[in-house]
Short mmCIF file of all heavy atoms in Angstrom, two decimals:
data_model
loop_
_atom_site.label_atom_id
_atom_site.label_comp_id
_atom_site.label_asym_id
_atom_site.label_seq_id
_atom_site.Cartn_x
_atom_site.Cartn_y
_atom_site.Cartn_z
N MET A 1 -10.20 11.13 47.28
CA MET A 1 -10.78 11.99 48.29
C MET A 1 -12.30 12.06 48.15
O MET A 1 -12.99 12.32 49.14
CB MET A 1 -10.19 13.40 48.21
CG MET A 1 -8.76 13.48 48.68
SD MET A 1 -8.25 15.19 48.75
CE MET A 1 -6.59 14.99 49.29
N ASN A 2 -12.79 11.79 46.95
CA ASN A 2 -14.23 11.85 46.74
C ASN A 2 -14.95 10.76 47.53
O ASN A 2 -16.05 10.98 48.03
CB ASN A 2 -14.58 11.71 45.26
CG ASN A 2 -14.14 12.93 44.46
OD1 ASN A 2 -14.01 14.01 45.00
ND2 ASN A 2 -13.91 12.74 43.17
N ASN A 3 -14.32 9.59 47.65
CA ASN A 3 -14.98 8.46 48.31
C ASN A 3 -14.78 8.45 49.82
O ASN A 3 -15.67 7.98 50.54
CB ASN A 3 -14.46 7.15 47.73
CG ASN A 3 -14.86 6.97 46.27
OD1 ASN A 3 -15.89 7.48 45.85
ND2 ASN A 3 -14.04 6.27 45.52
N ILE A 4 -13.66 8.94 50.32
CA ILE A 4 -13.38 8.83 51.76
C ILE A 4 -13.39 10.16 52.49
O ILE A 4 -13.26 10.20 53.70
CB ILE A 4 -12.03 8.12 52.01
CG1 ILE A 4 -10.87 8.89 51.39
CG2 ILE A 4 -12.07 6.69 51.48
CD1 ILE A 4 -9.51 8.33 51.71
N GLY A 5 -13.48 11.25 51.77
CA GLY A 5 -13.50 12.56 52.40
C GLY A 5 -12.15 13.24 52.31
O GLY A 5 -11.10 12.60 52.18
N GLU A 6 -12.19 14.57 52.38
CA GLU A 6 -10.97 15.35 52.20
C GLU A 6 -9.99 15.15 53.34
O GLU A 6 -8.78 15.01 53.12
CB GLU A 6 -11.31 16.83 52.06
CG GLU A 6 -10.11 17.67 51.68
CD GLU A 6 -10.48 19.11 51.38
OE1 GLU A 6 -11.64 19.36 51.02
OE2 GLU A 6 -9.59 19.95 51.50
N ALA A 7 -10.46 15.10 54.58
CA ALA A 7 -9.57 14.95 55.73
C ALA A 7 -8.84 13.61 55.69
O ALA A 7 -7.62 13.54 55.86
CB ALA A 7 -10.35 15.09 57.03
N ALA A 8 -9.58 12.53 55.42
CA ALA A 8 -8.97 11.20 55.35
C ALA A 8 -8.03 11.10 54.16
O ALA A 8 -6.93 10.53 54.26
CB ALA A 8 -10.04 10.12 55.27
N GLY A 9 -8.42 11.66 53.04
CA GLY A 9 -7.58 11.64 51.85
C GLY A 9 -6.28 12.39 52.07
O GLY A 9 -5.21 11.94 51.66
N THR A 10 -6.36 13.53 52.73
CA THR A 10 -5.17 14.31 53.04
C THR A 10 -4.26 13.55 54.00
O THR A 10 -3.03 13.54 53.83
CB THR A 10 -5.56 15.68 53.66
OG1 THR A 10 -6.38 16.38 52.72
CG2 THR A 10 -4.34 16.52 53.97
N GLU A 11 -4.85 12.90 54.99
CA GLU A 11 -4.06 12.11 55.94
C GLU A 11 -3.33 10.97 55.24
O GLU A 11 -2.15 10.72 55.50
CB GLU A 11 -4.97 11.58 57.05
CG GLU A 11 -4.23 10.91 58.18
CD GLU A 11 -5.14 10.50 59.32
OE1 GLU A 11 -6.27 11.00 59.41
OE2 GLU A 11 -4.70 9.67 60.13
N ILE A 12 -4.01 10.29 54.35
CA ILE A 12 -3.40 9.18 53.60
C ILE A 12 -2.29 9.71 52.70
O ILE A 12 -1.20 9.13 52.62
CB ILE A 12 -4.46 8.41 52.79
CG1 ILE A 12 -5.37 7.64 53.75
CG2 ILE A 12 -3.80 7.45 51.79
CD1 ILE A 12 -6.58 7.02 53.08
N ALA A 13 -2.53 10.84 52.03
CA ALA A 13 -1.51 11.43 51.16
C ALA A 13 -0.28 11.83 51.96
O ALA A 13 0.85 11.61 51.51
CB ALA A 13 -2.09 12.63 50.42
N ASN A 14 -0.47 12.40 53.14
CA ASN A 14 0.66 12.77 53.99
C ASN A 14 1.43 11.54 54.46
O ASN A 14 2.66 11.55 54.50
CB ASN A 14 0.18 13.58 55.20
CG ASN A 14 -0.27 14.97 54.81
OD1 ASN A 14 0.09 15.49 53.76
ND2 ASN A 14 -1.10 15.57 55.66
N LEU A 15 0.72 10.49 54.81
CA LEU A 15 1.36 9.24 55.24
C LEU A 15 2.20 8.65 54.11
O LEU A 15 3.35 8.24 54.33
CB LEU A 15 0.31 8.23 55.71
CG LEU A 15 0.83 6.86 56.13
CD1 LEU A 15 1.75 6.98 57.34
CD2 LEU A 15 -0.33 5.93 56.43
N ILE A 16 1.66 8.65 52.92
CA ILE A 16 2.40 8.11 51.76
C ILE A 16 3.63 8.96 51.49
O ILE A 16 4.72 8.43 51.21
CB ILE A 16 1.48 8.03 50.52
CG1 ILE A 16 0.42 6.95 50.74
CG2 ILE A 16 2.29 7.75 49.26
CD1 ILE A 16 -0.66 6.91 49.68
N ALA A 17 3.52 10.28 51.62
CA ALA A 17 4.67 11.16 51.41
C ALA A 17 5.74 10.91 52.46
O ALA A 17 6.94 10.87 52.13
CB ALA A 17 4.23 12.62 51.45
N GLU A 18 5.35 10.72 53.72
CA GLU A 18 6.32 10.42 54.78
C GLU A 18 7.00 9.08 54.53
O GLU A 18 8.21 8.94 54.72
CB GLU A 18 5.63 10.40 56.15
CG GLU A 18 5.22 11.76 56.65
CD GLU A 18 4.46 11.69 57.97
OE1 GLU A 18 4.61 10.68 58.70
OE2 GLU A 18 3.71 12.63 58.25
N MET A 19 6.22 8.08 54.10
CA MET A 19 6.80 6.77 53.81
C MET A 19 7.77 6.85 52.65
O MET A 19 8.84 6.23 52.68
CB MET A 19 5.68 5.76 53.51
CG MET A 19 4.85 5.41 54.73
SD MET A 19 3.40 4.40 54.35
CE MET A 19 4.14 2.95 53.67
N ALA A 20 7.43 7.62 51.62
CA ALA A 20 8.32 7.77 50.47
C ALA A 20 9.64 8.42 50.88
O ALA A 20 10.71 8.01 50.44
CB ALA A 20 7.63 8.58 49.37
N ALA A 21 9.56 9.42 51.76
CA ALA A 21 10.77 10.10 52.24
C ALA A 21 11.63 9.13 53.06
O ALA A 21 12.86 9.11 52.92
CB ALA A 21 10.40 11.32 53.07
N GLU A 22 10.99 8.31 53.89
CA GLU A 22 11.75 7.34 54.70
C GLU A 22 12.38 6.27 53.82
O GLU A 22 13.53 5.89 54.04
CB GLU A 22 10.84 6.71 55.75
CG GLU A 22 11.59 5.84 56.72
CD GLU A 22 10.79 5.45 57.94
OE1 GLU A 22 9.75 6.08 58.21
OE2 GLU A 22 11.20 4.50 58.60
N ILE A 23 11.67 5.82 52.82
CA ILE A 23 12.22 4.82 51.89
C ILE A 23 13.43 5.40 51.16
O ILE A 23 14.45 4.74 51.01
CB ILE A 23 11.15 4.34 50.89
CG1 ILE A 23 10.13 3.47 51.62
CG2 ILE A 23 11.78 3.58 49.72
CD1 ILE A 23 8.88 3.17 50.81
N GLU A 24 13.33 6.66 50.73
CA GLU A 24 14.44 7.31 50.04
C GLU A 24 15.66 7.42 50.97
O GLU A 24 16.79 7.18 50.56
CB GLU A 24 14.03 8.69 49.54
CG GLU A 24 15.10 9.37 48.72
CD GLU A 24 15.51 8.58 47.49
OE1 GLU A 24 14.66 7.89 46.89
OE2 GLU A 24 16.70 8.64 47.13
N GLU A 25 15.43 7.75 52.24
CA GLU A 25 16.52 7.84 53.20
C GLU A 25 17.16 6.47 53.42
O GLU A 25 18.39 6.35 53.48
CB GLU A 25 16.01 8.37 54.54
CG GLU A 25 17.10 8.54 55.57
CD GLU A 25 16.60 9.09 56.90
OE1 GLU A 25 15.46 9.60 56.95
OE2 GLU A 25 17.35 9.00 57.87
N LEU A 26 16.35 5.42 53.51
CA LEU A 26 16.89 4.08 53.67
C LEU A 26 17.72 3.67 52.46
O LEU A 26 18.76 3.03 52.60
CB LEU A 26 15.75 3.07 53.89
CG LEU A 26 15.04 3.17 55.24
CD1 LEU A 26 13.78 2.31 55.24
CD2 LEU A 26 15.95 2.77 56.37
N ARG A 27 17.29 4.04 51.27
CA ARG A 27 18.05 3.73 50.06
C ARG A 27 19.39 4.46 50.05
O ARG A 27 20.39 3.91 49.61
CB ARG A 27 17.25 4.11 48.82
CG ARG A 27 16.14 3.14 48.51
CD ARG A 27 15.42 3.52 47.25
NE ARG A 27 14.38 2.55 46.96
CZ ARG A 27 13.35 2.78 46.18
NH1 ARG A 27 13.20 3.94 45.59
NH2 ARG A 27 12.45 1.85 45.98
N ARG A 28 19.41 5.70 50.52
CA ARG A 28 20.68 6.46 50.55
C ARG A 28 21.64 5.87 51.55
O ARG A 28 22.85 5.90 51.34
CB ARG A 28 20.40 7.92 50.91
CG ARG A 28 19.91 8.76 49.77
CD ARG A 28 20.01 10.24 50.11
NE ARG A 28 19.42 10.59 51.38
CZ ARG A 28 18.17 11.00 51.57
NH1 ARG A 28 17.36 11.12 50.54
NH2 ARG A 28 17.72 11.31 52.77
N ASN A 29 21.13 5.34 52.65
CA ASN A 29 21.98 4.81 53.72
C ASN A 29 22.21 3.31 53.62
O ASN A 29 22.80 2.73 54.51
CB ASN A 29 21.37 5.14 55.09
CG ASN A 29 21.30 6.62 55.32
OD1 ASN A 29 22.14 7.37 54.85
ND2 ASN A 29 20.29 7.06 56.05
N LYS A 30 21.75 2.71 52.54
CA LYS A 30 21.82 1.26 52.38
C LYS A 30 23.27 0.79 52.33
O LYS A 30 24.12 1.39 51.69
CB LYS A 30 21.12 0.84 51.09
CG LYS A 30 21.15 -0.64 50.83
CD LYS A 30 20.45 -0.95 49.52
CE LYS A 30 20.60 -2.41 49.19
NZ LYS A 30 20.03 -2.73 47.90
N VAL A 31 23.53 -0.30 53.01
CA VAL A 31 24.83 -0.94 53.00
C VAL A 31 24.67 -2.30 52.35
O VAL A 31 23.77 -3.05 52.69
CB VAL A 31 25.37 -1.11 54.44
CG1 VAL A 31 26.69 -1.85 54.44
CG2 VAL A 31 25.50 0.23 55.12
N ASN A 32 25.53 -2.61 51.40
CA ASN A 32 25.47 -3.92 50.76
C ASN A 32 25.94 -4.98 51.75
O ASN A 32 26.97 -4.81 52.40
CB ASN A 32 26.33 -3.96 49.51
CG ASN A 32 25.72 -3.15 48.39
OD1 ASN A 32 24.51 -3.03 48.30
ND2 ASN A 32 26.55 -2.58 47.55
N VAL A 33 25.20 -6.06 51.84
CA VAL A 33 25.51 -7.14 52.76
C VAL A 33 25.77 -8.40 51.94
O VAL A 33 24.97 -8.77 51.08
CB VAL A 33 24.35 -7.39 53.74
CG1 VAL A 33 24.64 -8.57 54.63
CG2 VAL A 33 24.09 -6.14 54.56
N THR A 34 26.88 -9.04 52.20
CA THR A 34 27.18 -10.31 51.56
C THR A 34 26.68 -11.43 52.46
O THR A 34 27.09 -11.54 53.61
CB THR A 34 28.70 -10.47 51.33
OG1 THR A 34 29.14 -9.38 50.54
CG2 THR A 34 29.01 -11.78 50.65
N ARG A 35 25.77 -12.21 51.95
CA ARG A 35 25.23 -13.31 52.73
C ARG A 35 26.20 -14.47 52.72
O ARG A 35 26.74 -14.84 51.68
CB ARG A 35 23.88 -13.74 52.18
CG ARG A 35 22.86 -12.67 52.35
CD ARG A 35 21.51 -13.14 51.95
NE ARG A 35 20.56 -12.06 52.18
CZ ARG A 35 19.41 -11.95 51.55
NH1 ARG A 35 19.06 -12.85 50.67
NH2 ARG A 35 18.61 -10.94 51.82
N ILE A 36 26.42 -15.04 53.88
CA ILE A 36 27.32 -16.18 54.01
C ILE A 36 26.47 -17.41 54.30
O ILE A 36 25.77 -17.46 55.31
CB ILE A 36 28.35 -15.95 55.13
CG1 ILE A 36 29.19 -14.73 54.81
CG2 ILE A 36 29.21 -17.19 55.32
CD1 ILE A 36 30.12 -14.31 55.91
N VAL A 37 26.52 -18.36 53.41
CA VAL A 37 25.74 -19.58 53.56
C VAL A 37 26.67 -20.68 54.03
O VAL A 37 27.69 -20.94 53.39
CB VAL A 37 25.08 -19.97 52.22
CG1 VAL A 37 24.27 -21.25 52.37
CG2 VAL A 37 24.23 -18.84 51.70
N PRO A 38 26.35 -21.32 55.15
CA PRO A 38 27.22 -22.40 55.62
C PRO A 38 27.23 -23.56 54.63
O PRO A 38 26.21 -23.94 54.08
CB PRO A 38 26.61 -22.82 56.95
CG PRO A 38 25.23 -22.28 56.95
CD PRO A 38 25.20 -21.11 56.00
N ALA A 39 28.42 -24.10 54.43
CA ALA A 39 28.56 -25.25 53.53
C ALA A 39 28.05 -26.51 54.23
O ALA A 39 28.13 -26.63 55.45
CB ALA A 39 30.02 -25.42 53.14
N THR A 40 27.56 -27.43 53.47
CA THR A 40 27.07 -28.68 54.06
C THR A 40 28.22 -29.61 54.41
O THR A 40 28.12 -30.42 55.31
CB THR A 40 26.11 -29.40 53.10
OG1 THR A 40 26.78 -29.61 51.87
CG2 THR A 40 24.86 -28.58 52.89
N ASN A 41 29.36 -29.48 53.70
CA ASN A 41 30.50 -30.35 53.94
C ASN A 41 31.71 -29.46 54.21
O ASN A 41 32.42 -29.08 53.29
CB ASN A 41 30.73 -31.26 52.74
CG ASN A 41 31.75 -32.34 53.04
OD1 ASN A 41 32.21 -32.47 54.17
ND2 ASN A 41 32.12 -33.10 52.03
N VAL A 42 31.93 -29.12 55.45
CA VAL A 42 33.01 -28.21 55.81
C VAL A 42 34.32 -28.98 55.84
O VAL A 42 34.44 -30.02 56.46
CB VAL A 42 32.75 -27.58 57.19
CG1 VAL A 42 33.90 -26.67 57.59
CG2 VAL A 42 31.45 -26.80 57.17
N ASN A 43 35.33 -28.45 55.17
CA ASN A 43 36.64 -29.06 55.15
C ASN A 43 37.60 -28.08 55.82
O ASN A 43 37.93 -27.04 55.28
CB ASN A 43 37.07 -29.33 53.70
CG ASN A 43 38.30 -30.20 53.65
OD1 ASN A 43 38.82 -30.60 54.68
ND2 ASN A 43 38.75 -30.50 52.45
N LEU A 44 38.01 -28.39 57.04
CA LEU A 44 38.85 -27.48 57.80
C LEU A 44 40.29 -27.60 57.34
O LEU A 44 40.84 -28.68 57.18
CB LEU A 44 38.76 -27.80 59.31
CG LEU A 44 37.35 -27.71 59.89
CD1 LEU A 44 37.37 -28.16 61.33
CD2 LEU A 44 36.83 -26.29 59.78
N ILE A 45 40.92 -26.44 57.17
CA ILE A 45 42.31 -26.40 56.69
C ILE A 45 43.23 -26.91 57.80
O ILE A 45 43.13 -26.54 58.96
CB ILE A 45 42.69 -24.95 56.31
CG1 ILE A 45 41.82 -24.49 55.14
CG2 ILE A 45 44.16 -24.84 55.95
CD1 ILE A 45 41.97 -23.03 54.81
N GLY A 46 44.16 -27.79 57.44
CA GLY A 46 45.16 -28.28 58.38
C GLY A 46 44.70 -29.44 59.24
O GLY A 46 45.38 -29.88 60.13
N ARG A 47 43.52 -29.97 58.97
CA ARG A 47 43.02 -31.13 59.75
C ARG A 47 42.59 -32.20 58.78
O ARG A 47 42.01 -31.93 57.74
CB ARG A 47 41.81 -30.75 60.61
CG ARG A 47 42.14 -29.76 61.68
CD ARG A 47 40.94 -29.57 62.56
NE ARG A 47 41.23 -28.62 63.60
CZ ARG A 47 40.40 -28.38 64.59
NH1 ARG A 47 39.26 -29.01 64.69
NH2 ARG A 47 40.72 -27.50 65.52
N ASN A 48 42.84 -33.43 59.17
CA ASN A 48 42.34 -34.50 58.32
C ASN A 48 40.93 -34.88 58.79
O ASN A 48 40.49 -34.52 59.87
CB ASN A 48 43.30 -35.70 58.31
CG ASN A 48 43.45 -36.31 59.68
OD1 ASN A 48 42.53 -36.27 60.48
ND2 ASN A 48 44.61 -36.91 59.96
N GLU A 49 40.21 -35.59 57.96
CA GLU A 49 38.81 -35.91 58.26
C GLU A 49 38.66 -36.82 59.48
O GLU A 49 37.64 -36.81 60.14
CB GLU A 49 38.15 -36.52 57.05
CG GLU A 49 37.95 -35.53 55.92
CD GLU A 49 37.22 -36.14 54.74
OE1 GLU A 49 36.83 -37.33 54.82
OE2 GLU A 49 37.01 -35.43 53.73
N ASP A 50 39.69 -37.60 59.82
CA ASP A 50 39.58 -38.49 60.96
C ASP A 50 39.56 -37.70 62.27
O ASP A 50 38.96 -38.13 63.25
CB ASP A 50 40.79 -39.45 61.00
CG ASP A 50 40.73 -40.42 59.82
OD1 ASP A 50 39.63 -40.67 59.30
OD2 ASP A 50 41.82 -40.91 59.42
N ALA A 51 40.18 -36.52 62.29
CA ALA A 51 40.23 -35.72 63.51
C ALA A 51 38.94 -34.94 63.74
O ALA A 51 38.72 -34.45 64.83
CB ALA A 51 41.41 -34.77 63.44
N ILE A 52 38.11 -34.86 62.73
CA ILE A 52 36.89 -34.05 62.85
C ILE A 52 35.78 -34.81 63.53
O ILE A 52 35.44 -35.84 63.53
CB ILE A 52 36.43 -33.52 61.49
CG1 ILE A 52 37.51 -32.61 60.94
CG2 ILE A 52 35.14 -32.77 61.58
CD1 ILE A 52 37.23 -32.07 59.56
#
């Protein structure tokens, strides 16, 4: 606050506090996601390679 002034310092501190609260809310509501990576050589069940 000494370098940028009290008003600007207070605004930045409030912004950081709001961001911290939003990050905490996102962490509480987080859902684990399993990433599915397509295989390079797909082998379909019940089909032979000639039919593909």
Side-chain angles (χ1 to χ4, degrees):
M1 289 188 181
N2 291 335
N3 294 331
I4 61 174
E6 188 173 336
T10 301
E11 188 175 343
I12 291 171
N14 289 339
L15 177 63
I16 291 172
E18 288 176 23
M19 290 172 62
E22 187 167 344
I23 289 168
E24 185 59 33
E25 183 179 346
L26 290 170
R27 284 183 179 159
R28 280 195 309 267
N29 297 328
K30 180 181 174 184
V31 177
N32 289 329
V33 176
T34 302
R35 294 186 178 156
I36 299 173
V37 179
T40 55
N41 190 6
V42 178
N43 191 0
L44 301 175
I45 297 172
R47 294 187 180 188
N48 62 30
E49 290 183 2
D50 293 335
I52 298 177

